[in-house]
C-alpha cells in the first residue's frame, strides 16, 4: 500500500467517524468535534487528490579544481558562488532593480579591471567608488560591503577568482582569469591574498 | 416530492451540460478535464445548499422532502427507491475503491508544473548583449535555425515538428508564457533544456534540447531577444 | 505597493530616532550581554554535530507540530487582547456593559493561554537546540541581542497582563477606568513587539541580508531589518485580529449550541455576532497585506516567488483559495442568516440581493480556484494541448486572481453594510441621494476592478503589478472608507423599524461559526508550510544550507495531514483553556 493510499484511508476514517458522531451522539460538544473531524478529513482528502510531488534538494556541488578546464568552467562555478555561498546576490543585482540594496553589477566586468575587482572584494573600504552616473548626490545604499575573504562569508582565493570570471563573462568581456592561477590544495599557497596586500590599486579604470 | 428539490437538480444538470458541451465548442477552446468540471459542480452544489438554507422556510422546503424520503413513513412506491439509494451508496464506495486500485493501462493523472522555479544562480542574470536592431535580427536568425522547427516561425508553438511532441512546444505569443517570465528564466530553460528541469517540472516529459552543448551563451541571449521581439511580448522586469 | 512599503519603513525608522527609551533599552541590553560575550569566548568551538533526530516521528515533524502550535497559540494570545481591548473601549465609549463583560470574559482566558503559549515556546526552543544545533548556533550568533530584548519584553508583558486582568474590577470607575484602558493599550503595545522580534528571526531565514562587520547590536539590527520583516509583521498583526475574532465566534457558536436557557442563547448569539464582525473586519484588508508580502518576496528573490506562485507550491495556493473561499462564503452566510433570523420580516426583502451576491461570490471563487496547470489524464491533456486549458488558462494567472479577490471583498463588504442597515429606516432628507451615491460607488468600483483586471492581460507585467493591481486595491479601500462613515452618518438619525431579536438563530449558524474558525486556523497552518517550504533546501535562504535528511519539502497531501492534526490539537488546547477558565463561573452559577 502506498503512502498516499494509507493517508487517504486515515482521512476517510476520520471523516467517517465524524459522520458517525453526528448521526449517533447528542452531546453538543462531541458533535462539534465530529463536525471539525469531517472538515479536517475532507481538507486532507482534497490535498491528497491532486498528484503528489515532493521537492527534492539539488545535489550539493563542491569546488573541485580537477573539473575546471577552461575559464568558462570557472565562470560557471563563479555563477553558483555569486548566488549562494558568496551571498553577493543578497545585495547586488545584475541589471537594474527596484530592490537593489547595493550598486548594480551589470557590465562591471567590462568597467573595472580584475585587480580592482579583487581589491573591492577583499578590501572593500580601500577605494570607495562613487556612483556618479546619475548625477547630483552620490547614491547611498543601505548595506555596507563586507570583507568577502573573511568570515562569515570567507571565500577562498579560488572562489573569488571564479566570481571575477563570472562577472567578466556577464559583461560580455573575454575572461582574463586563467585556470593556471587557481591554487591546488596541498601545495603551499603562494600568499593567498597577494594582490590585496600590495596596497590599494587606486586607479579605477572607469569608462 | 416538491419542486424545490427538482430545481437544484435541473440547475446542476444545466451547469454540467454547459461545461461539458458548450464551453469546449467555443472557438479556441478545448474539452475541460474532469477534475475541473468536478470543482465547478461542487461550487454550484454548495451555492444551492447555502441559498436553500438561508431561512427557515426555504430550508424546510429543501430539507423536508429529503428527510421524508430517507426516514418518513407511508411514502408508498418511493420505499423501493429508498432501499435502492441505501444500496447504491455502498456500491458506489465499492466501485470507487475498485477503480482506484485496479490496474489500468492509463498513466496516472499528471500535475506538471510548467514554469517551475529556476535554480538560484539563474534568477538574477541580465542580458549582457546590448539591445540593438542588429543583435535582435541576429537572434531571430538563430531562432529560425535552431528553434523554429518546433516553436514555429510565427512564435506560436506550431512548427513543422511540433505535432510530434507531447507536451507540445511552448507558444510564445500566448501572454501567459514568456511575457510572465524574466529573460534570465528563458536563459536557464534554453541552456539546460528539458533534462535540467526540477522534479516538479517532470524533466522526463520535456524534449527541449540542452542548448548549452551546442550554442555559446551569447547566442542564447540573442535568441531570447529575437524571441520576445518576434512574439510581440516584453519580458517581465522590475524597472 | 513598494512605494508605500518604503514610506512605511521610513516612517518607522524615523520613529526609531525619537524612541529614546527603546535605544536606551538596547544599550542596557548590550551592557548586560557583555558578560555573555566573555563567557562565549571561553567556550571551545561547538561540536561537529549538525543535526539530531528521534526515531519514528522524525525531528522535523516534531518541530513542525510544536512550532505550529506555538505560533497558533501566540496568534491567539496576541489576537485576543486586541479583541478584548476593542470591546472594552466600545463599552467605555458607549456605556454598554455587555461589551465590558465580553472583554473581561476573554481576558480571563489570557492568563492560562499565555502560560500555555510560553510553555510551547519553551518546548520549541529546547527541541530546536537539540535537533538543529548548526542552525541555532548561526542564528544565536547574529541575534543574541534581540534574544535578550525578547526576554525583557516578556517580563513587562507579563506584568502588564497581570495588572490588566487582576485590576479589572478594581479599576472600573472614572480615572481608574481610563488607566485600565491605557493598561490594555500597553498590553497590546508590548505584545506587538513580542510578535515582531521573533518575526525578525523567521523572516531573516527567508530573506537574509548581508552582514558586514560591526558591533553585535549593529549586526542584529541590520539582520532584523530584512526585506520581508514589515510585510510579515503587518500581515500577522491583521491575521491575529482575524483569528481572535473568529475563535471568539466559534466559542460563542459552541456555547450557543449547548445553551440551556433563553438568557444564555441571547448572550452567545450576540457574542457570535461580535466575533464574526471583528473577524470580517480584519479579513477585508488581509488580502492586501498578503499581496504586499508576496510582492516583497518576489522582488527579494525570483526563485522564491516562482516556487510559491507558479512552481512547486502552486497547488497549495489553489487549496488556499478553497479555504479562503469557504471563509468568505461562511462569513457571508452568517451575515445573511443574521438578517433573516434576527430581523423578522426582512427575509423576502433581501432574498434577491442575497442571491445575486451569492452568485457573484461563487463565480469569483470559481475563477480563483481554477489552477493554471490543471490536473488532467493523458487523454485530456492531449485534447487541451498541454496542461493549460486554452480558454480557462487565463483564469490561472495573477491578474484574474487579484480581480476576483477584490470583487469578493467588495461583495462581503456589501453584505456587511446590508446587515448593518437592515431593520432601520433612514429619516434624513438626503438619505435617497446618499443611497444612490453608495450604490453608484459600489457598481462603479466593481466595474473598474473588472476592467483593470482584463486590461491587465494586455500590458507588461510590471505595469500591471505596479499600477493596475495597486489601483484595484486602492479603489476597494476607497469604497470601504467612504461608504462606512456615510452609512454611520445615515444611520445616526435613522429610526429602527424592527428590533433585532437575539437567540433565534438556527443551529447551523453555530456550525458556520465553528467552520469559519477552522478555516482560519487551517489557513494559518497552510501558510506556515508555504513559508517554510518556500525556502526549499535552505535553513537561511541562499546562505545556510539544510544538509539534514529532511532537506526535502514533503508533498502537499502529507503536509495537509500534519496541518489537519495541528489544527485539531490547537482546537483541543483552546477548548481546554476555555473549559478551565469558565469552570468557576459555572460552579458559581449553579450555586446561586
Amino acid at each position: 500500500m502506498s503512502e498516499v493510499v494509507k493517508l487517504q484511508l486515515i482521512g476517510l476514517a476520520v471523516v467517517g467517524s465524524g459522520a458517525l458522531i453526528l448521526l449517533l451522539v447528542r452531546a453538543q460538544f462531541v458533535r462539534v468535534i465530529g463536525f471539525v473531524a469531517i472538515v479536517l478529513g475532507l481538507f486532507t482528502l482534497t490535498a491528497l487528490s491532486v498528484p503528489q510531488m515532493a521537492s527534492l534538494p539539488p545535489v550539493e556541488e563542491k569546488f573541485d579544481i580537477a573539473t575546471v578546464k577552461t575559464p568558462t568552467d570557472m565562470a560557471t562555478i563563479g555563477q553558483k558562488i555569486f548566488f549562494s555561498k558568496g551571498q553577493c546576490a543578497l545585495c547586488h543585482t545584475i541589471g537594474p532593480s527596484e530592490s537593489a540594496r547595493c550598486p548594480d553589477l551589470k557590465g562591471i566586468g567590462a568597467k573595472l579591471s580584475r585587480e580592482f575587482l579583487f581589491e573591492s572584494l577583499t578590501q572593500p573600504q580601500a577605494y570607495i567608488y562613487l556612483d556618479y552616473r546619475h548625477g547630483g548626490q552620490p547614491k547611498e545604499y543601505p548595506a555596507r560591503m563586507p570583507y568577502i575573504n573573511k568570515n562569515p562569508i570567507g571565500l577562498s582565493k579560488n572562489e573569488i577568482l571564479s566570481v571575477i570570471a563570472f562577472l567578466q563573462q556577464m559583461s560580455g568581456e573575454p575572461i582574463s582569469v586563467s585556470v593556471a592561477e587557481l591554487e591546488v590544495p596541498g601545495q603551499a599557497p603562494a600568499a593567498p591574498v597577494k594582490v590585496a596586500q600590495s596596497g590599494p590599486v587606486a586607479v579605477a579604470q572607469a569608462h | 416530492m416538491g419542486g424545490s428539490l427538482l430545481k437544484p437538480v435541473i440547475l446542476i444538470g444545466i451547469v454540467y451540460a454547459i461545461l461539458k458541451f458548450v464551453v469546449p465548442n467555443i472557438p479556441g477552446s478545448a474539452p475541460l478535464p474532469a477534475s475541473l468540471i468536478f470543482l465547478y459542480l461542487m461550487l454550484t452544489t454548495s451555492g444551492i445548499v447555502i441559498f436553500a438554507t438561508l431561512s427557515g422556510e426555504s430550508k424546510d422546503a429543501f430539507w423536508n422532502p429529503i428527510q421524508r424520503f430517507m426516514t418518513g413513513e407511508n411514502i408508498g412506491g418511493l420505499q423501493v427507491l429508498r432501499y435502492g439509494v441505501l444500496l447504491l451508496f455502498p456500491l458506489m464506495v465499492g466501485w470507487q475503491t475498485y477503480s482506484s486500485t485496479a490496474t489500468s493501462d492509463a498513466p496516472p493523472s499528471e500535475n506538471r508544473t510548467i514554469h517551475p522555479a529556476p535554480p538560484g544562480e539563474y534568477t538574477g542574470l541580465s542580458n549582457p548583449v546590448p539591445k540593438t536592431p542588429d543583435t535582435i535580427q541576429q537572434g531571430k536568425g538563430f531562432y529560425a535555425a535552431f528553434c523554429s522547427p518546433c516553436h514555429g516561425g510565427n512564435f506560436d508553438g506550431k512548427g513543422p515538428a511540433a505535432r510530434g511532441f507531447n507536451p507540445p512546444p511552448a507558444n510564445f505569443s500566448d501572454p501567459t508564457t514568456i511575457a510572465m517570465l524574466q529573460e534570465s528564466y528563458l536563459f536557464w530553460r534554453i541552456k539546460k533544456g528539458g533534462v535540467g528541469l526540477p522534479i516538479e517540472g517532470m524533466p522526463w516529459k520535456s524534449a527541449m534540447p540542452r542548448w548549452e552543448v551546442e550554442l555559446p551563451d551569447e547566442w542564447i541571449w540573442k535568441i531570447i531577444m529575437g524571441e520576445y521581439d518576434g512574439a510581440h511580448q516584453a519580458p517581465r522586469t522590475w524597472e | 505597493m513598494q512605494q508605500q512599503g518604503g514610506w512605511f519603513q521610513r516612517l518607522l525608522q524615523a520613529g526609531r530616532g525619537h524612541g529614546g527609551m527603546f535605544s536606551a533599552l538596547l544599550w542596557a541590553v548590550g551592557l548586560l550581554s557583555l558578560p555573555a560575550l566573555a563567557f562565549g569566548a571561553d567556550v571551545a568551538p561547538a561540536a561537529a554535530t549538525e543535526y539530531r533526530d528521534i526515531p519514528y516521528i522524525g525531528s522535523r515533524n516534531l518541530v513542525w507540530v510544536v512550532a505550529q502550535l506555538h505560533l497558533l497559540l501566540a496568534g491567539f494570545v496576541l489576537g485576543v487582547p486586541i479583541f478584548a481591548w476593542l470591546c472594552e473601549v466600545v463599552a467605555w465609549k458607549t456605556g454598554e456593559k455587555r461589551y465590558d463583560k465580553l472583554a473581561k470574559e476573554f481576558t480571563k482566558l489570557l492568563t492560562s493561554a499565555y502560560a500555555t503559549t510560553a510553555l510551547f515556546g519553551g518546548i520549541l526552543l529546547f527541541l530546536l537546540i537539540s535537533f538543529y544545533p548548526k542552525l541555532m548556533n548561526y542564528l544565536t550568533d547574529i541575534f543574541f541581542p534581540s534574544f535578550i530584548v525578547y526576554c525583557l519584553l516578556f517580563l513587562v508583558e507579563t506584568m502588564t497582563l497581570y495588572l490588566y486582568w487582576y485590576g479589572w474590577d478594581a479599576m472600573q470607575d472614572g480615572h481608574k477606568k481610563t488607566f485600565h484602558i491605557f493598561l490594555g493599550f500597553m498590553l497590546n503595545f508590548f505584545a506587538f513587539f513580542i510578535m515582531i522580534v521573533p518575526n525578525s528571526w523567521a523572516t531573516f531565514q527567508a530573506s537574509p541580508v548581508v552582514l558586514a562587520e560591526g558591533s553585535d547590536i549593529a549586526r542584529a539590527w541590520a539582520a532584523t531589518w530584512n526585506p520581508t520583516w514589515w510585510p510579515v509583521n503587518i500581515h500577522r498583526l491583521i491575521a491575529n485580529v482575524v483569528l481572535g475574532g473568529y475563535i471568539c465566534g466559534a466559542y460563542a457558536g459552541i456555547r450557543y449550541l449547548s445553551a440551556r436557557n433563553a438568557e444564555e442563547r441571547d448572550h452567545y448569539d450576540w457574542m457570535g455576532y461580535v466575533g464574526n464582525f471583528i473577524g470580517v473586519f480584519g479579513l477585508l484588508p488581509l488580502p492586501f497585506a498578503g499581496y504586499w508580502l508576496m510582492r516583497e518576496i518576489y522582488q527579494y528573490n525570483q526563485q522564491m516567488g516562482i516556487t510559491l506562485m507558479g512552481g512547486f507550491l502552486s497547488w497549495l495556493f489553489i487549496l488556499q483559495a478553497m479555504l479562503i473561499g469557504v471563509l468568505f462564503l461562511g462569513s457571508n452566510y452568517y451575515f445573511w442568516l443574521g438578517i433573516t433570523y434576527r430581523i423578522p420580516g426582512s427575509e423576502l426583502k433581501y432574498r434577491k440581493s442575497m442571491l445575486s451576491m451569492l452568485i457573484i461570490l461563487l463565480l469569483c471563487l470559481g475563477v480563483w480556484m481554477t489552477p493554471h496547470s490543471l490536473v488532467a489524464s493523458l487523454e485530456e491533456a492531449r485534447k487541451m494541448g498541454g496542461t493549460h486549458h486554452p480558454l480557462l488558462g487565463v483564469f490561472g494567472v495573477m491578474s484574474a486572481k487579484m480581480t476576483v479577490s477584490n470583487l469578493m471583498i467588495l461583495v462581503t463588504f456589501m453584505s456587511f453594510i446590508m446587515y448593518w442597515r437592515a431593520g432601520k429606516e433612514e429619516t434624513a432628507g438626503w438619505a435617497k441621494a446618499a443611497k444612490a451615491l453608495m450604490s453608484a460607488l459600489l457598481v462603479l468600483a466593481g466595474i473598474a476592478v473588472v476592467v483593470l483586471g482584463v486590461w491587465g492581460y494586455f500590458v507588461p507585467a510590471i505595469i500591471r503589478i505596479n499600477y493596475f493591481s495597486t489601483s484595484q486595491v486602492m479603489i476597494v479601500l476607497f469604497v470601504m472608507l467612504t461608504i462606512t462613515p456615510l452609512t454611520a452618518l445615515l444611520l445616526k438619525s435613522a429610526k429602527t423599524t424592527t428590533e433585532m431579536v437575539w437567540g433565534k438563530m438556527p443551529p447551523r449558524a453555530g456550525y458556520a461559526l465553528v467552520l469559519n474558525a477552522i478555516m482560519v486556523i487551517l489557513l494559518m497552518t497552510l501558510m506556515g508550510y508555504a513559508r517554510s517550504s518556500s525556502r526549499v533546501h535552505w535553513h537561511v535562504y541562499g546562505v545556510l544550507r539544510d544538509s539534514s535528511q529532511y532537506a526535502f519539502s514533503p508533498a502537499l497531501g502529507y503536509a495537509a495531514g500534519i496541518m489537519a492534526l495541528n489544527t485539531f490539537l490547537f482546537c483541543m488546547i483552546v477548548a481546554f483553556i476555555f473549559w478551565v477558565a469558565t469552570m468557576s463561573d459555572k460552579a458559581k452559577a449553579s450555586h446561586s
Side-chain angles (χ1 to χ4, degrees):
Chain A
M1 211 164 29
S2 73
E3 199 187 356
V4 173
V5 177
K6 264 185 220 162
L7 287 169
Q8 273 172 336
L9 278 181
I10 296 176
L12 276 175
V14 169
V15 173
S17 48
L20 279 181
I21 289 177
L22 281 190
L23 280 176
L24 302 175
V25 181
R26 289 284 111 197
Q28 281 298 342
F29 184 68
V30 184
R31 284 175 69 85
V32 171
I33 292 182
F35 174 72
V36 171
I38 292 179
V39 173
L40 293 178
L42 285 179
F43 168 73
T44 314
L45 287 176
T46 316
L48 282 164
S49 67
V50 295
Q52 299 297 301
M53 183 79 73
S55 163
L56 305 179
V59 185
E60 213 165 345
E61 283 169 89
K62 293 269 185 302
F63 192 105
D64 186 5
I65 294 189
T67 61
V68 179
K69 297 276 183 279
T70 62
T72 321
D73 291 346
M74 280 180 78
T76 311
I77 292 168
Q79 185 183 356
K80 289 206 172 100
I81 294 171
F82 186 94
F83 287 102
S84 62
K85 190 183 172 194
Q87 302 182 23
C88 318
L90 290 189
C91 295
H92 292 285
T93 54
I94 301 175
S97 158
E98 255 182 52
S99 59
R101 299 165 55 83
C102 295
D104 171 11
L105 294 187
K106 185 166 176 154
I108 201 80
K111 206 164 85 178
L112 303 177
S113 72
R114 53 163 289 199
E115 284 75 22
F116 190 88
L117 283 173
F118 195 94
E119 184 189 282
S120 316
L121 292 170
T122 52
Q123 288 187 300
Q125 308 304 326
Y127 184 87
I128 309 287
Y129 183 79
L130 294 177
D131 200 347
Y132 283 116
R133 272 174 306 170
H134 303 284
Q137 288 290 307
K139 222 170 161 183
E140 271 197 46
Y141 291 101
R144 215 173 105 198
M145 180 80 180
Y147 293 88
I148 301 301
N149 57 339
K150 294 183 189 165
N151 271 334
I153 299 175
L155 293 192
S156 67
K157 189 188 167 199
N158 286 352
E159 290 169 325
I160 292 180
L161 288 177
S162 308
V163 170
I164 293 175
F166 164 66
L167 288 174
Q168 290 180 332
Q169 189 196 38
M170 274 318 293
S171 313
E173 279 288 293
I175 299 170
S176 70
V177 184
S178 78
V179 180
E181 287 175 74
L182 295 179
E183 285 160 7
V184 182
Q187 294 177 10
V193 280
K194 204 173 109 205
V195 194
Q197 283 163 354
S198 61
V201 186
V203 194
Q205 298 179 342
H207 43 236
Chain B
M1 308 287 297
S4 55
L5 257 191
L6 211 59
K7 258 198 244 166
V9 175
I10 294 176
L11 184 64
I12 291 181
I14 291 176
V15 172
Y16 179 76
I18 290 177
L19 293 174
K20 190 78 185 172
F21 303 110
V22 180
V23 175
N25 290 321
I26 298 171
S29 185
L32 299 175
S35 60
L36 205 56
I37 293 184
F38 179 74
L39 180 83
Y40 292 149
L41 286 182
M42 284 306 288
L43 274 178
T44 317
T45 317
S46 55
I48 290 170
V49 172
I50 286 179
F51 188 65
T53 57
L54 270 184
S55 73
E57 298 88 63
S58 62
K59 183 213 139 198
D60 290 343
F62 177 73
W63 180 242
N64 281 355
I66 302 179
Q67 195 167 26
R68 211 165 78 87
F69 175 67
M70 297 308 284
T71 60
E73 284 169 25
N74 304 325
I75 53 172
L78 290 176
Q79 190 91 20
V80 187
L81 205 60
R82 175 196 292 175
Y83 289 122
V85 169
L86 289 183
L87 270 179
L88 197 68
F89 190 69
L91 279 180
M92 265 168 60
V93 173
W95 177 72
Q96 173 69 28
T97 315
Y98 170 76
S99 59
S100 65
T101 48
T103 43
S104 122
D105 56 354
S109 285
E110 65 175 38
N111 172 26
R112 180 166 173 260
T113 306
I114 311 280
H115 296 141
E121 65 261 28
Y122 283 93
T123 48
L125 302 184
S126 83
N127 200 330
V129 181
K131 197 174 178 185
T132 62
D134 231 27
T135 48
I136 292 177
Q137 207 47 45
Q138 278 177 8
K140 281 187 181 164
F142 293 138
Y143 178 89
F146 301 106
C147 318
S148 70
C150 300
H151 290 287
N154 297 326
F155 304 88
D156 56 0
K158 295 205 172 80
R163 289 176 61 91
F165 296 112
N166 178 35
N171 170 4
F172 300 137
S173 56
D174 177 351
T176 66
T177 58
I178 56 173
M180 293 283 178
L181 303 167
Q182 293 180 318
E183 282 183 303
S184 56
Y185 192 96
L186 271 72
F187 182 67
W188 169 54
R189 289 309 329 124
I190 297 172
K191 208 171 161 176
K192 294 292 175 186
V195 290
L197 285 166
I199 185 164
E200 63 265 26
M202 301 194 182
W204 55 89
K205 302 259 335 176
S206 169
M208 177 83 178
R210 216 177 117 202
W211 286 108
E212 66 173 339
V213 201
E214 314 275 342
L215 308 177
D217 285 1
E218 194 193 334
W219 290 22
I220 299 181
W221 285 118
K222 284 180 180 166
I223 288 174
I224 293 171
M225 288 197 290
E227 222 168 83
Y228 275 110
D229 192 69
H232 305 295
Q233 308 283 357
R236 189 181 200 138
T237 54
W238 287 116
E239 284 169 59
Chain C
M1 282 311 251
Q2 168 61 19
Q3 264 76 24
Q4 291 162 34
W7 164 83
F8 192 59
Q9 297 193 351
R10 269 200 297 282
L11 194 75
L12 284 158
Q13 271 170 329
R16 172 167 59 121
H18 304 291
M21 204 183 82
F22 188 59
S23 53
L25 196 69
L26 274 177
W27 275 110
V29 168
L31 287 175
L32 282 174
S33 60
L34 281 177
L37 263 178
F39 182 69
D42 292 339
V43 178
T49 311
E50 296 190 334
Y51 300 100
R52 294 187 189 89
D53 200 0
I54 51 163
Y56 306 116
I57 308 173
S59 61
R60 199 232 321 240
N61 285 346
L62 189 59
V63 167
W64 186 349
V65 172
V66 173
Q68 189 65 67
L69 285 177
H70 173 59
L71 189 114
L72 286 169
L73 282 165
F76 179 65
V77 167
L78 299 179
V80 165
I82 301 177
F83 175 84
W85 186 68
L86 284 178
C87 288
E88 198 194 0
V89 171
V90 169
W92 182 48
K93 282 275 164 216
T94 64
E96 274 199 72
K97 276 289 163 216
R98 57 180 178 172
Y99 278 100
D100 198 72
K101 194 182 153 210
L102 177 68
K104 195 183 163 195
E105 201 169 342
F106 273 85
T107 310
K108 183 163 56 184
L109 299 172
L110 272 181
T111 39
S112 48
Y114 189 72
T116 318
T117 311
L119 173 71
F120 272 88
I123 299 175
L124 176 64
L125 180 64
F126 283 122
L127 290 183
L128 282 175
I129 293 173
S130 320
F131 293 148
Y132 294 93
K134 176 175 85 169
L135 171 67
M136 288 312 280
N137 265 337
Y138 182 85
L139 288 181
T140 311
D141 189 41
I142 295 170
F143 280 113
F144 79 89
S146 67
F147 285 5
I148 296 164
V149 174
Y150 188 57
C151 296
L152 289 176
L153 280 170
F154 251 98
L155 286 177
V156 285
E157 169 81 355
T158 313
M159 269 184 317
T160 323
L161 175 63
Y162 285 164
L163 279 176
Y164 186 63
W165 162 238
Y166 290 105
W168 197 291
D169 291 327
M171 298 188 232
Q172 269 301 326
D173 313 300
H175 287 302
K176 279 186 188 161
K177 188 66 181 172
T178 319
F179 180 67
H180 194 254
I181 301 265
F182 173 72
L183 273 182
F185 173 77
M186 288 317 285
L187 183 70
N188 283 304
F189 181 77
F190 292 134
F192 179 69
F193 282 98
I194 286 195
M195 177 187 76
I196 68 173
V197 170
N199 275 356
S200 71
W201 312 332
T203 52
F204 178 78
Q205 280 187 274
S207 55
V209 291
V210 82
L211 298 171
E213 304 64 37
S215 64
D216 290 316
I217 291 176
R219 277 160 51 89
W221 189 248
T224 301
W225 280 94
N226 60 69
T228 56
W229 188 41
W230 272 103
V232 165
N233 288 345
I234 299 299
H235 195 55
R236 280 202 171 149
L237 180 69
I238 303 176
N240 287 345
V241 178
V242 176
L243 181 74
Y246 278 115
I247 285 194
C248 161
Y251 169 68
I254 296 172
R255 291 300 295 264
Y256 180 77
L257 286 174
S258 48
R260 291 183 203 287
N261 54 44
E263 196 187 338
E264 273 187 22
R265 287 174 69 87
D266 279 11
H267 180 64
Y268 289 113
D269 187 14
W270 171 79
M271 189 194 274
Y273 152 80
V274 176
N276 189 60
F277 178 85
I278 292 191
V280 171
F281 176 73
L283 186 65
L284 293 180
L286 194 56
F288 304 146
Y291 178 74
W292 178 34
L293 171 61
M294 201 55 229
R295 190 176 143 67
E296 289 294 319
I297 292 176
Y298 226 110
Q299 201 159 57
Y300 176 75
N301 189 303
Q302 191 200 9
Q303 183 191 32
M304 199 181 253
I306 298 182
T307 302
L308 282 164
M309 298 309 285
F312 167 65
L313 293 172
S314 58
W315 258 94
L316 180 143
F317 278 85
I318 299 300
L319 268 193
Q320 188 212 23
M322 244 174 245
L323 296 179
I324 295 182
V326 175
L327 188 59
F328 268 106
L329 279 178
S331 304
N332 279 298
Y333 184 54
Y334 187 79
F335 273 134
W336 298 336
L337 281 178
I339 292 178
T340 50
Y341 279 89
R342 289 190 190 129
I343 304 161
S346 62
E347 191 221 330
L348 288 176
K349 192 171 150 199
Y350 291 104
R351 203 169 165 78
K352 264 213 181 104
S353 35
M354 285 181 209
L355 180 63
S356 42
M357 289 203 276
L358 177 65
I359 290 175
I360 296 176
L361 274 183
L362 287 174
L363 286 177
C364 289
L365 203 49
V367 172
W368 200 354
M369 278 161 58
T370 306
H372 197 202
S373 308
L374 300 166
V375 174
S377 69
L378 186 68
E379 194 58 33
E380 291 166 337
R382 207 168 266 161
K383 279 183 192 150
M384 289 192 295
T387 48
H388 285 178
H389 190 274
L391 199 65
L392 299 182
V394 295
F395 290 163
V397 292
M398 220 39 218
S399 197
K401 314 267 186 216
M402 269 305 281
T403 308
V404 294
S405 57
N406 276 307
L407 281 181
M408 283 173 76
I409 292 171
L410 269 182
V411 169
T412 310
F413 179 68
M414 263 164 84
S415 271
F416 163 71
I417 293 289
M418 194 168 87
Y419 182 85
W420 199 6
R421 281 176 32 186
K424 300 190 182 77
E425 201 181 290
E426 294 85 358
T427 50
W430 45 278
K432 245 199 175 123
K435 276 199 282 192
L437 177 72
M438 288 196 305
S439 18
L441 256 179
L442 275 172
V443 172
L444 279 180
I447 294 174
V449 166
V450 173
V451 167
L452 282 176
V454 175
W455 196 1
Y457 286 98
F458 304 101
V459 295
I462 189 65
I463 296 187
R464 175 165 55 76
I465 294 164
N466 273 356
Y467 303 106
F468 283 25
S469 301
T470 322
S471 317
Q472 285 179 326
V473 170
M474 286 299 147
I475 289 170
V476 175
L477 279 180
F478 172 75
V479 166
M480 290 202 270
L481 290 181
T482 44
I483 292 192
T484 313
L486 206 60
T487 315
L489 215 64
L490 208 56
L491 290 183
K492 220 168 192 178
S493 60
K495 67 166 194 272
T496 309
T497 49
T498 333
E499 273 302 331
M500 272 201 203
V501 190
W502 299 105
K504 288 278 179 281
M505 289 287 257
R508 57 180 180 281
Y511 282 103
L513 287 172
V514 174
L515 182 69
N516 286 346
I518 298 292
M519 288 302 127
V520 172
I521 302 166
L522 264 182
L523 271 169
M524 288 174 76
T525 59
L526 186 77
M527 296 332 277
Y529 165 74
R531 220 178 51 72
S532 186
S533 44
S534 67
R535 290 199 310 266
V536 283
H537 53 279
W538 299 97
H539 286 313
V540 179
Y541 193 72
V543 175
L544 190 70
R545 196 182 154 114
D546 184 349
S547 51
S548 72
Q549 54 169 320
Y550 298 117
F552 70 95
S553 305
L556 194 53
Y558 180 84
I562 295 193
M563 291 169 209
L565 176 73
N566 284 338
T567 307
F568 188 75
L569 289 177
F570 174 67
C571 290
M572 288 296 107
I573 293 172
V574 170
F576 178 73
I577 291 172
F578 272 104
W579 180 68
V580 170
T582 53
M583 211 164 12
S584 64
D585 289 0
K586 280 184 203 146
K588 258 183 240 161
S590 64
H591 276 299
S592 58

